[in-house]
Amino acid sequence: MTRLFVYLAILNLLDASVTWFGLKHAFISELNPLMQVVYQVNPTLFVLTKAALSVFLLLFIVLKKVPRSSLLKGVIIFASVSYTAIVFMHGFWLVHIFL
């Protein structure tokens, strides 16, 4: 389970940086309504919020408090698969923008 937490934290940071870049240059729009509001308030707050979420995931590992419930494992797997798909979509539009 700790590997899933690390994987999700890394994907979240990657998503934060690529999404910030895409939003800043108007290549994409944020589909998450909550994060869209955060970005509109302050783009730096957007990045800091995403980074904080990754830090919280990593703190579970450092503090050796990674929950082991099957429900949470399902949620983390779903989030990891979703973020993996999002990162691939980001890669797709980045290739089209820069080629």
Side-chain angles (χ1 to χ4, degrees):
M1 189 82 137
T2 57
R3 285 189 226 153
L4 283 172
F5 273 53
V6 171
Y7 181 70
L8 190 55
I10 291 168
L11 285 179
N12 187 47
L13 289 173
L14 182 61
D15 174 60
S17 58
V18 174
T19 301
W20 172 82
F21 177 81
L23 291 171
K24 180 179 179 178
H25 297 287
F27 296 139
I28 62 169
S29 60
E30 176 60 62
L31 296 178
N32 178 334
L34 177 62
M35 293 309 292
Q36 181 180 29
V37 169
V38 172
Y39 184 84
Q40 289 171 347
V41 168
N42 187 325
T44 303
L45 181 61
F46 172 86
V47 173
L48 290 174
T49 301
K50 298 282 277 184
L53 293 172
S54 290
V55 168
F56 288 139
L57 284 171
L58 296 175
L59 279 175
F60 277 107
I61 296 167
V62 170
L63 299 174
K64 298 184 185 324
K65 299 287 184 184
V66 176
R68 303 277 180 210
S69 77
S70 57
L71 174 63
L72 183 64
K73 186 174 183 177
V75 169
I76 294 294
I77 289 171
F78 176 78
S80 296
V81 170
S82 299
Y83 264 112
T84 300
I86 289 167
V87 167
F88 276 109
M89 285 190 313
H90 286 327
F92 179 77
W93 64 256
L94 283 171
V95 166
H96 286 295
I97 290 168
F98 292 109
L99 291 182

